[in-house]
Amino acid sequence: MSSKEKNTLIHEWGSELEEINSQTKNSCKKFYYKYSSIKFYTSMWVIDKKSGMREQVDVGDNVMISGFSQHPGYYIAKIIAFFDLNEKDLDSNRRCSVEWFYLPDEIPKSKLQLSIQRKNEVIVDLRHSYDVIDANSVLGVCHVTKLAPNQNFPDYDPDFLGIFFFNKGFDGKKIIQINMNEDDSPLPKKRHQPAPSSRSSPKKKVAPPPKRQAKKPRKTAPKAAAAAPKLPEPEDAMPKSKKKRNGDTPKQLLKAAR
């Protein structure tokens, strides 16, 4: 997009952000602590002066960013935060923090390692570093899609300028394929722990606890011997009242003994 086309756009804030989370603060930490009157917003409107068309750009959207004189064209980024500095001395108070995608021609050729450079290809920044730019340089929303494993790159269509795809990332040193199957991935694999067996696992041998000395039984007084049952007295020693009488039945003898 040329500078003339860029100047045909108007930018207006959408709704103000009520709750500021840690990611929003960290994405613009220097500005957040320097400017006390800073305000955050959930969205921004991009308005075309000629046609009057309005496009809403929300936090989290992927956008096209206007280039500059040394690098005409556009950049691709993801919006992390919108904020206004509210300072009178600045030409523009609108700011946004972004995470960049790389276009293939932005990466040094020595590190690119790509046999084919496509116009609809971007490379994700694996470092996830933040950068703060002028929010007035936002041209509009674009669509960035991660390709599935073994999915071919769609053909570039000049009629759909704002559609991009990626299957690689850049960590600052080299290009890494990020949409491989797990078996083909160059990244270190996580070791899976074996599933617990239904059988009981053998127990580790553990030294037995020291034996406790048996407590000596307390000495107690011997129990009194049970009284011996009374034996029937000899017949000669029995009183006459207890002597067996002829004709007495066992019940009568028992009753007489009581």
Side-chain angles (χ1 to χ4, degrees):
M1 178 175 285
S2 64
S3 59
K4 292 182 179 180
E5 290 174 325
K6 176 184 174 181
N7 293 332
T8 62
L9 298 178
I10 301 174
H11 298 79
E12 295 178 356
W13 288 129
S15 302
E16 186 174 349
L17 183 65
E18 296 180 358
E19 296 183 2
I20 304 171
N21 57 30
S22 57
Q23 184 187 26
T24 301
K25 293 178 184 179
N26 293 333
S27 67
C28 55
K29 190 180 296 184
K30 293 181 180 179
F31 295 87
Y32 180 78
Y33 291 105
K34 182 177 181 180
Y35 298 95
S36 59
S37 57
I38 188 172
K39 290 184 179 181
F40 291 87
Y41 295 86
T42 61
S43 61
M44 183 178 66
W45 289 96
V46 180
I47 307 166
D48 191 323
K49 291 181 181 178
K50 294 181 179 180
S51 64
M53 292 183 63
R54 299 168 60 91
E55 183 180 24
Q56 183 175 346
V57 181
D58 296 318
V59 170
D61 283 345
N62 297 313
V63 295
M64 299 178 71
I65 306 294
S66 174
F68 49 94
S69 57
Q70 297 179 356
H71 193 289
Y74 55 84
Y75 297 95
I76 308 299
K78 178 180 179 180
I79 299 293
I80 304 300
F82 282 125
F83 57 96
D84 196 307
L85 301 177
N86 289 312
E87 291 290 328
K88 296 180 180 180
D89 298 336
L90 299 176
D91 295 335
S92 175
N93 284 289
R94 296 189 182 93
R95 298 286 188 275
C96 61
S97 54
V98 299
E99 281 186 1
W100 293 109
F101 290 92
Y102 293 103
L103 296 169
D105 58 358
E106 293 181 63
I107 298 177
K109 293 182 179 180
S110 60
K111 299 180 180 180
L112 191 57
Q113 303 168 351
L114 297 178
S115 57
I116 300 175
Q117 296 186 22
R118 304 173 180 88
K119 292 184 178 181
N120 59 345
E121 180 177 9
V122 292
I123 301 167
V124 66
D125 185 359
L126 299 177
R127 295 168 294 183
H128 299 289
S129 55
Y130 302 125
D131 197 5
V132 174
I133 62 174
D134 186 349
N136 292 330
S137 62
V138 175
L139 302 177
V141 175
C142 66
H143 302 278
V144 180
T145 304
K146 180 181 179 180
L147 296 177
N150 302 322
Q151 182 180 356
N152 294 326
F153 249 89
D155 294 332
Y156 172 71
D157 189 342
D159 294 333
F160 297 94
L161 183 61
I163 297 180
F164 300 90
F165 303 90
F166 73 94
N167 60 3
K168 300 177 184 66
F170 183 59
D171 64 357
K173 296 181 179 179
K174 60 183 180 299
I175 299 293
I176 297 175
Q177 193 82 17
I178 59 175
N179 72 331
M180 288 183 174
N181 291 319
E182 186 176 358
D183 296 336
D184 301 329
S185 175
L187 299 178
K189 299 178 182 178
K190 295 182 179 179
R191 295 183 177 180
H192 298 282
Q193 297 292 338
S197 174
S198 58
R199 298 179 181 179
S200 57
S201 57
K203 297 182 179 179
K204 295 182 179 179
K205 293 183 179 180
V206 182
K211 293 184 179 180
R212 296 182 180 179
Q213 295 182 353
K215 293 183 179 180
K216 295 181 179 181
R218 296 180 181 178
K219 293 183 179 181
T220 56
K223 294 183 179 180
K230 289 185 178 182
L231 299 176
E233 297 177 1
E235 190 174 347
D236 295 339
M238 292 177 63
K240 294 182 179 179
S241 61
K242 291 186 179 181
K243 289 183 180 179
K244 183 179 180 182
R245 294 172 292 183
N246 293 332
D248 288 344
T249 62
K251 287 184 179 181
Q252 290 174 340
L253 290 173
L254 181 62
K255 186 174 181 182
R258 292 178 181 176

